[in-house]
Amino acid sequence: MTVRHRVAALTGLLCALGAGTALAADLVPVKIGVLNDRSGVYFDSTGEGAVVAARMAVEDFKPEAHGLKVEVVAADHQNKPDVGASITRQWYDRDGVDAVFDVPTSSVALAVAQITKEKNKAFVNSGGGTADLTGPACTPNTVHWTYDTAALANGTGKAMLKRGGKTWYFITADYAFGLALERDTKAVVEKNGGTVVGGVRTPFPNPDFSSFLLQAQASGAQVIGLADAGLDAANAIKQAHEFGIRQGGQKLAALLIAITDIHSLGLEVAQGLEFTASFYWDLNDGTRAFSDRFGARMSGRKPTSYQAGVYASTLHYLKAVAALHSAKDGAAVVAKMKALPTDDPLFGAGTIRPDGRKIHPMYLFEAKAPSESKGEWDLYKVLETIPAEQAFRPMGEGGCPMVAGLSAK
């Protein structure tokens, strides 16, 4: 090669590198923080699986093709509002995080929602349950994606009443989620002709439900409503089985339970439990394909509804950011999320209401008997599909100050 040819080649290489650098510099930076329980009662149902789901969504979105450069970071809030609040402030103030995702533990979620509004970032909740996020605590910066306590009450509460469960006793985790779930389920029970005969508040988290279950058993209630989740719910169900509560004729209402909890309990213990959720890995081709890919990264595990919600909501968030070509104004991004119809392979087509509530169908499931299961994760059967407009609380009944005077739909 002549000197002239070498110079031309080198010049071309430098130009190509310069163009690549310029192209990379033009990409809009987006930083997503997945904040959840990575060491406590919800580590199995949210935890690392939610981080994996968020990263899968980023990969599937192909951000560079949309002019974005996306980074996902994660942290453990330890189910403590002060810890979650501290991490959120640090992420927003120092680390350049644009949006926080997941956040199980409703007390933490409520704290994150207010900080997010103060900093004008975006909060897309999947793991937290309290319907107050789209009620009194709603903000222009929050989207509540996967489920809420009102939807759980509408699903499981009504189902138990239809099956003759007219008298209820609640075992309630004594923090924001448990209290909201008891409140919303009690309202459904009483509205539909049932009666609440008593209840007890339990510490959170709590490994031993013996004394609480004995009180519930002694109440004579037809239904014992478990207003808890995660390992707490699994422990209560396991101990109720040991005491023969269901065998004695009382029903357990697992008001929130994840597939990881059912898997951990085993169908010998869990069989016959009825519960409400928005996602199951074996619903259709789209959910199965995603779950196979997720399982390849998670040692064969299937995703929970919360992890599926992180995937779907991350996809929709990135669509909104790409449309605006910026993630800096959180309220503007959330407004764009509401303006764009939602559509993904896990939840299908849907919408986000003005109060921030994501609307999609919910499902009433029953845990299979061992003889019905054809594999390790073949755990649910669908009893009923609850249409989106029936699953969630009407917007006008939530008390969200942003939507006063709007339609109650």
Side-chain angles (χ1 to χ4, degrees):
M1 182 182 291
T2 66
V3 171
R4 185 174 65 182
H5 287 153
R6 289 195 186 101
V7 170
L10 181 59
T11 301
L13 177 60
L14 290 173
C15 288
L17 289 172
T21 302
L23 182 62
D26 289 340
L27 296 176
V28 173
V30 183
K31 196 168 188 179
I32 290 170
V34 180
L35 181 63
N36 60 25
D37 176 4
R38 299 175 66 80
S39 57
V41 295
Y42 302 134
F43 85 98
D44 211 15
S45 53
T46 61
E48 179 61 18
V51 182
V52 168
R55 290 182 172 144
M56 289 176 66
V58 172
E59 293 169 12
D60 290 350
F61 186 70
K62 297 180 173 54
E64 291 189 1
H66 296 85
L68 308 180
K69 181 180 180 180
V70 182
E71 179 184 359
V72 176
V73 297
D76 184 355
H77 62 42
Q78 303 172 42
N79 297 311
K80 298 176 181 177
D82 58 337
V83 173
S86 177
I87 292 169
T88 301
R89 288 190 184 278
Q90 177 181 307
W91 273 355
Y92 289 157
D93 292 342
R94 193 189 75 181
D95 298 340
V97 168
D98 298 295
V100 172
F101 281 73
D102 198 13
V103 195
T105 312
S106 292
S107 52
V108 183
L110 290 167
V112 170
Q114 292 309 306
I115 295 168
T116 301
K117 178 184 177 184
E118 173 191 331
K119 302 295 182 180
N120 193 27
K121 303 294 184 176
F123 174 35
V124 187
N125 182 278
S126 179
T130 178
D132 289 354
L133 285 169
T134 56
C138 73
T139 82
N141 301 75
T142 296
V143 172
H144 201 178
W145 192 276
T146 308
Y147 75 107
D148 63 27
T149 52
L152 299 178
N154 282 333
T156 308
K158 287 182 179 178
M160 301 301 281
L161 286 160
K162 287 178 183 177
R163 288 158 176 76
K166 297 296 186 182
T167 58
W168 286 62
Y169 185 99
F170 285 96
I171 296 177
T172 301
D174 194 10
Y175 80 108
F177 165 73
L179 301 177
L181 186 51
E182 178 187 331
R183 175 199 67 200
D184 293 342
T185 307
K186 181 179 178 181
V188 168
V189 168
E190 294 178 341
K191 182 178 179 180
N192 289 273
T195 304
V196 176
V197 300
V200 63
R201 304 283 166 80
T202 68
F204 171 77
N206 181 51
D208 185 4
F209 287 83
S210 302
S211 63
F212 309 121
L213 287 165
L214 289 173
Q215 292 176 58
Q217 191 174 36
S219 75
Q222 294 169 315
V223 179
I224 300 172
L226 300 177
D228 52 18
L231 293 182
D232 276 11
N235 285 332
I237 293 165
K238 182 178 180 180
Q239 291 162 26
H241 181 75
E242 292 168 355
F243 291 158
I245 286 178
R246 292 169 68 199
Q247 297 90 320
Q250 289 175 297
K251 299 177 181 179
L252 286 183
L255 295 171
L256 179 60
I257 195 160
I259 192 170
T260 45
D261 303 319
I262 298 292
H263 182 266
S264 176
L265 285 167
L267 292 180
E268 192 65 43
V269 173
Q271 61 181 308
L273 281 174
E274 295 180 11
F275 47 91
T276 303
S278 57
F279 171 86
Y280 176 52
W281 72 269
D282 200 20
L283 282 175
N284 54 54
D285 289 344
T287 59
R288 285 188 285 271
F290 168 78
S291 299
D292 286 346
R293 293 170 52 217
F294 178 91
R297 303 184 186 206
M298 290 293 293
S299 303
R301 301 168 71 82
K302 298 301 184 184
T304 65
S305 59
Y306 325 126
Q307 293 160 347
V310 170
Y311 173 85
S313 60
T314 299
L315 274 179
H316 193 67
Y317 169 81
L318 292 175
K319 290 176 185 177
V321 171
L324 296 173
H325 208 60
S326 174
K328 295 307 176 188
D329 185 337
V333 174
V334 168
K336 180 58 72 173
M337 291 178 72
K338 294 175 182 177
L340 295 173
T342 65
D343 195 6
D344 63 79
L346 307 190
F347 295 85
T351 58
I352 301 173
R353 294 190 317 204
D355 62 353
R357 177 65 259 166
K358 164 65 165 55
I359 301 299
H360 47 244
M362 298 287 287
Y363 303 91
L364 181 66
F365 294 109
E366 181 180 302
K368 289 184 173 182
S371 60
E372 296 175 303
S373 176
K374 298 178 181 178
E376 181 183 3
W377 292 93
D378 181 24
L379 303 176
Y380 294 6
K381 54 185 176 184
V382 179
L383 297 182
E384 182 181 343
T385 299
I386 307 169
E389 62 274 12
Q390 297 176 23
F392 293 94
R393 176 183 63 198
M395 188 167 66
E397 296 178 6
C400 172
M402 296 191 305
V403 299
L406 293 179
S407 169
K409 293 182 179 179

